[in-house]
């Protein structure tokens, strides 16, 4: 079911009118009068609804569209468990699109008691990011696929699942691939006592593009997941890639070693300590902002979760963190965050890494 809400905003929308809208169609995740000033604001956007004729369409499955006389946007927003796909049709009068793609974060490996000591699994890698422009024409179509996050391992000797890649293709699912942001690698399970764990960490997601269709503006590689270990805390999740830099690497072991902050607007690698690991920070989709510190989201992205069985990666593209080596859960550890696609257009043209958050 598609809910469509349109309004000519020569006058402000008053609170009582908003209440009637809320009661009749009930999609509060789409709009909210957050500051009670009589103007509706787009939730998570922060700009007032005024001056233009706008239409907002919420599809109920993590696809959304915003448009007005000056431009618009279309988002495909995956989750840790659900990839989102669909066809985007170029609106009338539009001849250029700016696209942002973020891959899904990888899931952490399993942890838990094994014999006389515990195995601390590795954290998942952060998703890659790419942005750029595509020359197009009204009525042209693009197949878009935003990849889900990776699953976590649910035994001490099970690795996590890789995050799913995010991509855009010309025309249909069978068309030429225009650009891809790869998902982060799944966390690697810990080896037994006395075995060197060096190098056992998940890779961050990379990116690629077809220069015949896509003019790349920038992007980065996701951060690596924290190292697996034996008789020590597992690895934290890697941060999602930035607009002009890479995601931070997740820490590992009780001492929280070998981690890093995000760069170029990317998410920071998660923390690790003797009792927990953290998911990697995600990267926001509204243009480049501040980079994330340890476990923090970059460019307005979500922070990584903290705590045993709660160390999921932050939106979008953060890698999942493992748990303490003495903790075991049959449901697994931290999962990777889903990826995303954001398409924007406007007059004058709007480009990443600064899309002005206008749409």
């Amino acid at each position: 079911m598609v809910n469509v809400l349109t309004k000519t905003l020569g006058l402000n929308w008053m609170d009582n009118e908003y209440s009637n809208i809320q009661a009749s169609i009930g999609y509060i995740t789409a709009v909210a009068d957050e500051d009670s000033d009589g103007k509706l604001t787009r939730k998570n956007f922060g700009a007032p609804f005024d001056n233009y004729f706008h239409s907002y369409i919420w599809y109920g499955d993590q696809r959304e569209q915003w448009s007005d006389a000056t431009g618009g946007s279309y988002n495909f927003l995956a989750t840790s468990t659900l990839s989102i796909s669909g066809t985007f049709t170029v609106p009338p009068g539009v001849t250029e699109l700016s696209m942002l793609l973020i891959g899904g974060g990888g899931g952490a490996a399993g942890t838990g008691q094994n014999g006389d000591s515990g195995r601390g699994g590795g954290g998942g890698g952060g998703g890659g990011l790419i942005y750029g422009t595509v020359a197009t024409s009204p009525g042209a179509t693009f197949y878009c696929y935003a990849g889900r996050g990776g699953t976590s391992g649910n035994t001490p000797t099970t690795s996590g699942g890789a995050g799913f890649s995010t991509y855009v293709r010309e025309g249909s699912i069978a068309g030429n691939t225009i650009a891809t942001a790869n998902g982060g690698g799944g966390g690697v399970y810990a080896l037994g006592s006395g075995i060197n764990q060096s190098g056992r960490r998940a890779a961050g997601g990379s990116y690629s593009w077809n220069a015949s269709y896509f003019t790349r503006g920038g992007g980065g590689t996701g951060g690596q997941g924290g190292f697996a270990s034996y008789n020590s805390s597992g690895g934290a999740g890697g941060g999602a890639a930035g607009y002009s830099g890479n995601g931070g690497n997740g820490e590992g072991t009780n001492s929280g070693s070998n981690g890093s902050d995000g760069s170029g607007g990317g998410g920071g690698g998660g923390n690790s300590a003797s009792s927990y690991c953290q998911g990697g920070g995600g990267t926001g989709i509204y243009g480049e902002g501040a980079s994330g510190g340890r476990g923090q989201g970059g460019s307005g992205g979500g922070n990584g979760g903290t705590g045993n069985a709660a160390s999921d990666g932050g939106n979008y593209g953060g890698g999942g963190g493992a748990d303490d080596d003495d903790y075991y859960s049959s449901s697994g550890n931290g999962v990777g965050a889903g990826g995303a696609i954001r398409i924007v257009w406007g007059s004058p043209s709007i480009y990443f890494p600064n899309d002005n958050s206008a749409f």
Side-chain angles (χ1 to χ4, degrees):
M1 178 178 179
V2 177
N3 287 326
V4 180
L5 176 64
T6 62
K7 178 76 175 182
T8 301
L9 297 175
L11 299 174
N12 293 338
W13 290 19
M14 304 310 295
D15 290 339
N16 61 348
E17 187 174 357
Y18 171 64
S19 298
N20 292 334
I21 295 169
Q22 174 180 347
S24 62
I25 61 177
Y27 58 98
I28 305 313
T29 54
V31 295
D33 186 4
E34 296 179 359
D35 51 8
S36 300
D37 64 352
K39 292 183 178 182
L40 288 182
T41 55
R42 280 168 286 184
K43 194 170 183 66
N44 299 324
F45 286 60
F49 278 78
D50 50 7
N51 300 329
Y52 298 106
F53 177 86
H54 297 75
S55 66
Y56 189 97
I57 304 174
W58 176 251
Y59 292 83
D61 64 353
Q62 306 298 307
R63 290 181 296 146
E64 60 187 39
Q65 178 174 313
W66 173 261
S67 64
D68 67 16
T70 64
S73 67
Y74 200 108
N75 298 337
F76 294 82
L77 308 176
T79 70
S80 60
T81 60
L82 181 66
S83 296
I84 298 297
S85 63
T87 299
F88 170 75
T89 301
V90 179
V94 176
T95 59
E96 186 177 53
L97 302 170
S98 186
M99 296 183 176
L100 167 72
L101 295 78
I102 302 175
T111 58
Q113 286 296 107
N114 184 68
D116 62 350
S117 204
R119 299 192 188 216
L129 181 152
I130 186 172
Y131 70 86
T133 58
V134 177
T136 187
S137 59
T141 58
F142 296 90
Y143 179 78
C144 300
Y145 183 94
R148 55 167 284 182
T151 57
S152 68
N154 59 3
T155 73
T157 55
T158 304
S159 294
F164 285 45
S165 294
T166 294
Y167 57 84
V168 175
R169 291 178 176 168
E170 181 188 34
S172 68
I173 191 172
N176 294 315
T177 301
I178 293 173
T180 302
N182 291 312
V188 184
Y189 73 87
L191 300 175
S193 177
I195 302 175
N196 187 353
Q197 309 283 344
S198 177
R200 294 185 67 78
R201 68 187 312 179
S206 58
Y207 58 86
S208 61
W209 73 100
N210 186 333
S212 297
Y213 301 92
F214 191 85
T215 302
R216 175 182 171 269
T221 299
Q224 296 177 309
F227 284 104
S229 63
Y230 192 84
N231 198 26
S232 188
S233 179
Y243 289 79
S244 59
N246 300 324
N249 295 331
E251 295 180 349
T253 74
N254 292 348
S255 60
S257 58
N258 298 303
S260 59
D261 297 342
S263 63
N271 291 293
S272 68
S274 59
S275 59
Y276 71 89
C277 293
Q278 183 182 20
T283 299
I285 63 172
Y286 300 113
E288 183 173 348
S291 302
R294 300 300 170 85
Q296 304 299 299
S299 302
N303 298 334
T306 301
N308 291 326
S311 50
D312 297 341
N315 286 334
Y316 291 93
D323 292 329
D324 173 48
D325 61 306
D326 295 320
Y327 178 86
Y328 170 74
S329 171
S330 61
S331 61
N333 299 330
V335 297
I341 298 172
R342 179 165 168 81
I343 303 172
V344 296
W345 62 93
S347 178
S349 295
I350 301 169
Y351 303 108
F352 290 104
N354 298 308
D355 77 345
N356 302 317
S357 294
F359 306 105

